[in-house]
Amino acid sequence: MSDPFSDKKARASAWFRTLRDDIVSAFHALEDSRSSGPLSDAPAGRMEVSTTRRASDDGSDAGGGEMSVMRAGRVFEKVGVNISTVHGTLGERAQAAMAARKGIPGMAEDPRFWASGISLVAHMQNPHVPAVHMNTRMFWTPHAWWFGGGSDLNPAIEYDEDTEHFHTVQKDALDPHGADHYPRFKAWADEYFFITHRNRPRGVGGVFMDDHCTDDWEADFALTQDMGRAFLPAFVPLVERRRVQDWSEEDKHKQLVHRGLYAEYNLVYDRGTKFGLETGHDANAVLMSLPPLAKWV
């Protein structure tokens, strides 16, 4: 039986790869410029690319992706930009991790799925440069499809002007799609990226959506693309502004303690982490978001 969604799936998967390539190129350019701190004269970092596979229960092809990771660069202490396109069938626990909605239409009778997306987390050398997260994705089942994703800023040392810039770029990208999108997606990010057991947010927020389906695939795909395109102009100017600042041991301590919050959130609450592990995707790729070093006090 032919899949009437095959073209849309291919377009979405190709777009996530293009966005990955653009981001990696921009991050390499940041590494090529000089920064402050003990690694300012070190060789520029580069992404190491490896193939990832999803493990299916019966050993059949279930898709996979590419994991691009840079460690110990001048600017980035650890950054990963992953893409994947996976498919197969979902058990009950994986269905629960797949979407925010209560129950996915038709999954009990036909548990097939297809998913593609990009996921990025950057942990920085300079404590004045904020950590950041971004992902966009598309899910398909025989009875439903939707988009999700967003980006949020996670500074250890907060600067109001950085937060304002990050949010302004997001708002400008979303406003052409509807005036209600930015305030709604901002509020969703504030709620989603909240560490309940610490009673505090993970960072200074951003935008987030899930289960986004207006029944107009082209419009929803265009919205998702603009969310992805907004990432570099929202984040790169902050890196360029802060990477030249000197930092102290106290600054580094603050950064490492803040990273502990990031690790706690991703291991306890993050739905993408749960979905990746429940569906048999490469564990190293799923846990790429964890920082290389962190502290708890």
Side-chain angles (χ1 to χ4, degrees):
M1 181 182 297
S2 63
D3 179 3
F5 246 78
S6 60
D7 177 67
K8 293 180 174 64
K9 292 176 182 177
R11 287 172 59 195
S13 181
W15 158 248
F16 297 133
R17 178 175 291 274
T18 296
L19 181 59
R20 187 279 306 270
D21 293 346
D22 290 344
I23 291 171
V24 168
S25 178
F27 283 2
H28 282 168
L30 288 171
E31 280 290 310
D32 288 338
S33 57
R34 296 293 178 181
S35 303
S36 67
L39 294 176
S40 59
D41 294 324
R46 283 295 181 269
M47 293 284 189
E48 297 179 2
V49 181
S50 58
T51 300
T52 63
R53 305 303 300 173
R54 174 179 176 262
S56 64
D57 293 337
D58 61 3
S60 62
D61 174 53
E66 291 179 351
M67 179 170 62
S68 303
V69 181
M70 182 195 307
R71 297 177 178 86
R74 291 174 178 166
V75 177
F76 297 94
E77 188 166 350
K78 178 186 177 185
V79 57
V81 190
N82 293 355
I83 53 172
S84 64
T85 299
V86 296
H87 53 87
T89 59
L90 294 178
E92 291 184 3
R93 290 178 59 182
Q95 291 178 35
M98 188 175 185
R101 71 183 72 186
K102 296 293 185 180
I104 303 169
M107 284 299 286
E109 297 78 22
D110 188 347
R112 289 177 295 157
F113 84 101
W114 177 97
S116 185
I118 177 173
S119 179
L120 176 157
V121 177
H123 299 288
M124 316 305 291
Q125 293 282 9
N126 190 322
H128 295 283
V129 181
V132 72
H133 156 263
M134 185 277 294
N135 78 80
T136 58
R137 57 192 179 274
M138 174 189 161
F139 285 113
W140 171 93
T141 74
H143 302 281
W145 58 264
W146 61 94
F147 290 93
S151 59
D152 65 298
L153 200 66
N154 298 273
I157 302 170
E158 295 183 17
Y159 293 93
D160 290 343
E161 60 267 35
D162 291 2
T163 302
E164 180 180 3
H165 171 83
F166 190 81
H167 280 270
T168 297
V169 174
Q170 304 288 348
K171 183 177 185 299
D172 289 345
L174 292 172
D175 278 353
H177 299 274
D180 67 319
H181 281 54
Y182 170 74
R184 184 159 57 91
F185 293 168
K186 177 185 181 299
W188 202 337
D190 290 341
E191 178 182 359
Y192 183 73
F193 296 113
F194 192 82
I195 306 174
T196 304
H197 65 271
R198 297 287 188 183
N199 194 33
R200 60 154 296 168
R202 184 171 79 174
V204 295
V207 292
F208 180 77
M209 67 176 184
D210 210 347
D211 298 351
H212 184 78
C213 175
T214 66
D215 293 325
D216 185 338
W217 189 89
E218 293 293 347
D220 294 348
F221 184 40
L223 169 66
T224 303
Q225 288 176 298
D226 281 347
M227 290 183 73
R229 292 188 186 103
F231 171 73
L232 287 174
F235 179 61
V236 169
L238 308 184
V239 180
E240 293 175 333
R241 178 186 298 165
R242 301 297 170 196
R243 69 183 178 191
V244 296
Q245 291 184 227
D246 292 331
W247 75 79
S248 65
E249 288 298 319
E250 180 181 357
D251 294 333
K252 197 67 177 177
H253 174 76
K254 290 179 180 178
Q255 181 193 51
L256 296 181
V257 170
H258 190 79
R259 284 180 180 174
L261 298 174
Y262 201 97
E264 289 178 17
Y265 178 87
N266 279 33
L267 291 173
V268 176
Y269 300 110
D270 186 71
R271 193 156 54 245
T273 300
K274 294 177 181 178
F275 175 75
L277 295 177
E278 287 289 349
T279 55
H281 199 56
D282 187 292
N284 288 328
V286 174
L287 299 175
M288 170 273 296
S289 59
L290 295 179
L293 296 170
K295 284 184 177 181
W296 282 264
V297 295

